[in-house]
Amino acid sequence: MTSGMDLALALVEKDLGSKVALAVARQLILFFRRPGGQSQFSRLLEAQASTRGPLREIVVWAVEHLDKDLSVENLARHAAMSRRNFTRVFTAEFGKSPAHYIERFRIEAGRQCLKIHGIILEEIASA
């Protein structure tokens, strides 16, 4: 079922563009681009509105690796950009710094762990 939804969104994006596909995903409360096994993060959906492929991919990668060192240096290295250029491009595209987005992703992941899995705060914080 989810593969069919992903395919439908990909077809909408191909035919009508990423902004329309994102609007459809929001309306249906779906991932525009599913990050593989992750729970839905509304900040991720918002960030996927980016029209720049490499930035979109780095956001998905970051959400899949929230337990890793996601410093600006490491994000820039993963995106194959200099730290300065990555920060400039990211901030221009999303209107917020990379550090702001990583913080929001981690907070929302913690909320999901509390709500869905009932994990205690100490375990969430260490994860």
Side-chain angles (χ1 to χ4, degrees):
M1 171 104 51
T2 56
S3 295
M5 291 184 286
D6 291 344
L7 175 62
L9 285 174
L11 293 172
V12 169
E13 180 182 26
K14 183 178 178 188
D15 291 344
L16 302 173
S18 62
K19 290 186 188 238
V20 174
L22 179 63
V24 171
R26 280 188 178 145
Q27 182 70 28
L28 298 175
I29 312 172
L30 299 172
F31 265 118
F32 180 42
R33 284 189 175 63
R34 194 174 309 281
Q38 288 291 325
S39 299
Q40 183 163 340
F41 298 95
S42 59
R43 291 282 175 188
L44 178 61
L45 184 59
E46 176 185 316
Q48 288 175 341
S50 169
T51 58
R52 297 178 188 261
L55 287 183
R56 188 180 312 142
E57 297 306 316
I58 195 71
V59 167
V60 172
W61 179 84
V63 169
E64 293 174 344
H65 298 90
L66 289 175
D67 60 331
K68 306 290 186 228
D69 175 12
L70 297 177
S71 63
V72 174
E73 290 81 12
N74 285 342
L75 292 171
R77 185 174 28 253
H78 187 77
M81 297 176 153
S82 71
R83 180 186 193 276
R84 182 174 178 229
N85 187 50
F86 176 77
T87 301
R88 183 185 57 78
V89 170
F90 192 99
T91 303
E93 188 71 26
F94 296 114
K96 302 280 184 190
S97 70
H100 174 83
Y101 266 88
I102 296 304
E103 179 181 292
R104 298 307 310 159
F105 291 149
R106 286 180 169 154
I107 288 170
E108 289 189 32
R111 283 185 188 143
Q112 291 292 328
C113 286
L114 279 172
K115 186 168 44 171
I116 296 172
H117 305 296
I119 299 173
I120 61 174
L121 288 176
E122 290 80 12
E123 291 175 3
I124 292 171
S126 67

